[in-house]
Amino acid sequence: MSLVKNFFIALSNNAFLNNTAKKVGPSLGANKVVAGSTIDEVVETIKALNRKNISVTVDNLGEFVNNRQDAIAAKEAILDVMKAINDHQLDAHMSVKLSQLGAEFDKVLAYENIYDIVAKAKSYHHMHINIDTEKYDSLFDITQTLDRLKSEFSNVGTVIQAYLFKADVLIDKYPDLRLRLVKGAYKESPYIAYQDKDEIDQNYIRLIEKRLLTAKNMTSIATHDHRIINHVKQFIDDHHIDKSKVEFQMLYGFRSDLAESIANEGYQFTIYVPFGDDWFGYFMRRLAERPQNLTLALKEFVKPKTIAILGCVGLSTLLFSLLYRKK
């Protein structure tokens, strides 16, 4: 795994940096990758994207949830967004992390929270709830939760990370569920995940093709890589795959022109829209996931002083960590 990827993943896992970034988000250009901090702001963002024939999946950002009060508050915030989506009749659904709902300290509480979310979503015209992927240590909890929920609900799915050796097993296990396929954004051991970029790309394409030929539900292909997008388009045409069962996904704030172009070609398209103050960990993982995203960020929205701030804070944190270890 590259030093650049390791660096950004380390930043994403740093609670001090996450808390600091909440206070200076606008000056770091956070408003370019996060759709505001209020429901009204995210509603307006969704409306603007819907007018361009683009659907949305909303992520109510949250990191380092470690108590019952915060986990329940996160659930209530997600329910509030869902209500707004339903009230405004928007083309949107939710992406949710189990860790935000308490999974890292109380699995029973986390399941109760996600159950409430999926049940309420069902009452909102079967709004889809996507259980987002997280680090490998959480994979068992995610699949176990999904297995329990899918026995009662059809409006729930998850994410498959192509760099995991177990990705094939998960593709085979959930042909009936809506799945999002991604390359992978966390630092994982070479014993459980591919490390080489070319190997990850090759496995990602292979998994996409396998899924498109076997799926009985929607497949979301989440990438900014135009080479892979073009390959998938050709594969869809060559195998006469129903476009209603496929969509492309990109992140809010990245490659907007390409997203609109693909949507205008008649493909279903969804933008992953995060909102809230807790944006730093999310953004760092996006940069780690695909180094080219850093280039896009620099071109599209990051101001020069952002680099200075991140560099200084990151270096200070690194030096502090080194000194602490020596004590």
Side-chain angles (χ1 to χ4, degrees):
M1 184 177 291
S2 72
L3 291 175
V4 173
K5 185 169 185 176
N6 286 341
F7 174 71
F8 284 120
I9 290 176
L11 292 182
S12 76
N13 291 327
N14 188 286
F16 170 74
L17 290 181
N18 275 266
N19 289 330
T20 301
K22 290 179 184 179
K23 303 173 184 177
V24 293
S27 69
L28 295 181
N31 59 322
K32 300 294 185 178
V33 295
V34 176
S37 58
T38 68
I39 290 180
D40 288 342
E41 288 172 325
V42 78
V43 164
E44 290 307 309
T45 297
I46 297 171
K47 287 180 177 179
L49 290 169
N50 284 175
R51 286 193 291 269
K52 297 176 181 178
N53 201 32
I54 293 176
S55 183
V56 168
T57 183
V58 181
D59 176 9
N60 181 40
L61 294 170
E63 304 274 344
F64 305 105
V65 174
N66 53 24
N67 62 74
R68 182 181 183 87
Q69 181 179 354
D70 287 349
I72 293 176
K75 178 191 74 172
E76 294 300 327
I78 291 167
L79 291 174
D80 288 343
V81 178
M82 290 164 49
K83 183 177 186 301
I85 290 171
N86 184 69
D87 288 349
H88 290 272
Q89 299 182 336
L90 303 174
D91 182 5
H93 64 271
M94 296 298 300
S95 288
V96 179
K97 286 184 172 59
L98 292 184
S99 63
Q100 190 181 14
L101 300 177
E104 294 188 346
F105 64 90
D106 189 336
K107 292 178 173 48
V108 173
L109 172 64
Y111 185 77
E112 291 173 350
N113 284 338
I114 190 65
Y115 185 95
D116 290 347
I117 289 169
V118 176
K120 176 56 70 173
K122 181 180 179 180
S123 73
Y124 291 150
H125 309 287
H126 284 82
M127 181 189 297
H128 181 64
I129 300 297
N130 186 83
I131 300 177
D132 272 356
T133 189
E134 301 189 62
K135 57 186 181 295
Y136 183 79
D137 290 346
S138 68
L139 182 60
F140 177 76
D141 291 338
I142 291 172
T143 56
Q144 187 178 53
T145 298
L146 191 60
D147 290 344
R148 292 179 67 185
L149 290 171
K150 74 183 183 70
S151 66
E152 185 174 347
F153 302 101
S154 61
N155 60 315
V156 63
T158 192
V159 180
I160 308 299
Q161 299 186 95
Y163 66 0
L164 295 180
F165 298 151
K166 290 185 64 174
D168 261 301
V169 175
L170 298 172
I171 292 287
D172 292 339
K173 184 176 183 180
Y174 299 120
D176 297 326
L177 296 184
R178 179 173 180 171
L179 296 181
R180 179 194 302 153
L181 274 56
V182 302
K183 293 184 183 181
Y186 293 84
K187 181 180 179 181
E188 302 294 0
S189 162
Y191 296 105
I192 61 175
Y194 295 105
Q195 307 293 306
D196 180 75
K197 177 186 179 303
D198 290 338
E199 286 186 313
I200 295 171
D201 285 354
Q202 291 170 13
N203 202 49
Y204 186 46
I205 291 172
R206 185 184 64 81
L207 290 171
I208 290 171
E209 293 178 350
K210 177 179 181 179
R211 168 70 182 183
L212 292 181
L213 292 175
T214 59
K216 300 177 182 178
N217 205 328
M218 174 72 74
T219 301
S220 302
I221 300 163
T223 181
H224 300 130
D225 191 330
H226 63 276
R227 295 168 303 175
I228 291 178
I229 291 170
N230 290 335
H231 177 91
V232 172
K233 287 180 183 178
Q234 189 62 54
F235 188 83
I236 289 171
D237 289 342
D238 291 345
H239 293 81
H240 309 291
I241 293 169
D242 186 351
K243 288 184 179 179
S244 69
K245 298 297 184 182
V246 187
E247 72 170 9
F248 292 100
Q249 285 195 10
M250 288 185 185
L251 303 173
Y252 179 68
F254 292 89
R255 307 208 74 172
S256 302
D257 291 344
L258 178 59
E260 292 177 25
S261 173
I262 295 171
N264 289 336
E265 291 174 15
Y267 294 96
Q268 295 192 84
F269 205 98
T270 292
I271 295 290
Y272 187 101
V273 174
F275 88 106
D277 296 326
D278 211 349
W279 64 275
F280 185 81
Y282 158 82
F283 188 36
M284 292 303 104
R285 285 192 295 276
R286 301 293 75 78
L287 297 182
E289 185 175 24
R290 184 170 183 261
Q292 292 93 324
N293 285 345
L294 178 58
T295 302
L296 292 174
L298 291 171
K299 286 181 178 179
E300 294 196 23
F301 51 78
V302 176
K303 303 173 184 177
K305 69 176 180 179
T306 299
I307 306 303
I309 294 172
L310 286 177
C312 290
V313 175
L315 181 59
S316 299
T317 303
L318 176 60
L319 291 174
F320 176 81
S321 299
L322 291 174
L323 290 171
Y324 181 79
R325 288 176 183 174
K326 290 180 180 180
K327 292 182 178 180

